[in-house]
Amino acid sequence: MVVATVGLRGLSLCTLSLPILRSAKIKPPIHSFPTSRSLKPLFSPYNSTILRGFPSFCASPDVNVEATATAPPATEAENSQSADDIKNAANLLDIRVGRIIKAWRHEEADSLYVEEVDVGEPESRIICSGLVKYMPLDLLQHAKVIVLANLKPRNMRGVKSCGMLMAASDASHETVELLMPPDGTIPGERIWFGTEDDKDSQPEPATPNQVQKKKIWESVQPHLKTDASCTAMLGDYLMQTSAGVVVCKSLKNANIS
């Protein structure tokens, strides 16, 4: 089959077979390709009668052109994580009740406190927090806190920080309050989201390497907020302990990080 390659005005190069040319009543010269002049009337952008019924010659043969043209746009749910996906990711975070044994100013960083925190392990953890401008040091001493425990350790100006204290902040990030577990919780207790049934089905936490590689914290954090009663939430799911929900002191509808 002889094939002619034709340039359309304002369109990409396409391929046409001779049967199509014959159906348009154009006779190419014998033993030669049709000239652009002989095909010009057929492919003129103004010849809508002929072009209207032609298939798209530049599309892949596997593409349904009509379906593609009329397909509805993707829904918002299809373009973003589902609530179940977010909750499943959050269940891989090792969020625990902690108790600060003592806290002090970082010797090499004016904006950092250093805390020694009991998270229910044989040895306490050292955690650095950028809270100096937001709260006095004495507020941290012996405080019950919420700790994200399966982050990879980070060297913060010479101090190895093994975890993160979780806090709520307003939109301008001028006010920051630590998340607080209710009375009756003990250091090391793992936090969950939802109901008692959700607690029973909670999987083992991911390793710090997995949290970093899969960006688990980054995918979950935008969905953590406080509600109108200052209760910590993951979307519509309560942040729970065995003694009740996790809260902050006064920040409503605030971001959690």
Side-chain angles (χ1 to χ4, degrees):
M1 178 181 293
V2 180
V3 177
T5 302
V6 183
L8 303 185
R9 185 183 303 173
L11 300 177
S12 304
L13 290 179
C14 307
T15 58
L16 290 175
S17 63
L18 286 180
I20 294 175
L21 298 178
R22 292 192 187 101
S23 68
K25 298 182 180 180
I26 293 178
K27 296 182 179 180
I30 298 174
H31 306 304
S32 67
F33 291 107
T35 65
S36 60
R37 180 176 299 177
S38 67
L39 294 177
K40 186 174 181 180
L42 174 63
F43 294 104
S44 168
Y46 307 105
N47 195 340
S48 58
T49 303
I50 295 176
L51 291 179
R52 188 180 297 119
F54 273 39
S56 173
F57 299 109
C58 297
S60 164
D62 297 325
V63 174
N64 185 329
V65 178
E66 290 186 4
T68 302
T70 59
T75 64
E76 184 176 348
E78 291 170 335
N79 288 328
S80 61
Q81 288 179 297
S82 71
D84 286 342
D85 290 336
I86 295 163
K87 186 170 180 293
N88 290 338
N91 284 338
L92 296 174
L93 296 174
D94 189 6
I95 304 175
R96 304 186 201 173
V97 174
R99 184 180 68 85
I100 297 176
I101 299 170
K102 61 180 178 179
W104 60 95
R105 293 286 295 266
H106 194 300
E107 294 181 357
E108 302 295 332
D110 293 340
S111 64
L112 297 178
Y113 288 134
V114 182
E115 303 95 19
E116 181 182 353
V117 186
D118 178 4
V119 291
E121 297 171 336
E123 295 184 2
S124 56
R125 293 196 185 197
I126 298 298
I127 296 176
C128 295
S129 303
L131 297 172
V132 171
K133 65 181 290 187
Y134 302 110
M135 59 190 67
L137 183 59
D138 59 3
L139 192 65
L140 297 178
Q141 306 296 351
H142 312 296
K144 284 277 193 76
V145 291
I146 301 297
V147 177
L148 178 54
N150 59 340
L151 295 176
K152 289 191 73 172
R154 293 179 58 193
N155 190 310
M156 302 185 74
R157 301 292 293 271
V159 177
K160 186 178 181 180
S161 181
C162 301
M164 182 181 78
L165 303 187
M166 297 185 69
S169 62
D170 61 6
S172 62
H173 205 68
E174 294 180 354
T175 303
V176 175
E177 296 177 355
L178 289 171
L179 295 188
M180 303 181 297
D183 293 338
T185 54
I186 60 174
E189 179 180 337
R190 192 175 171 199
I191 303 298
W192 78 93
F193 299 96
T195 65
E196 286 290 334
D197 290 339
D198 293 305
K199 176 185 178 182
D200 294 338
S201 61
Q202 193 176 27
E204 289 296 311
T207 66
N209 281 337
Q210 290 171 331
V211 171
Q212 182 182 58
K213 183 177 181 179
K214 297 181 180 180
K215 299 186 181 300
I216 296 174
W217 170 241
E218 289 83 351
S219 68
V220 171
Q221 187 275 324
H223 305 279
L224 289 168
K225 299 184 183 296
T226 61
D227 65 8
S229 62
C230 304
T231 300
M233 307 283 293
L234 174 75
D236 294 329
Y237 298 102
L238 295 166
M239 184 182 282
Q240 295 267 28
T241 74
S242 61
V245 297
V246 175
V247 300
C248 69
K249 183 178 180 180
S250 65
L251 289 176
K252 302 176 181 180
N253 304 312
N255 297 318
I256 293 174
S257 59

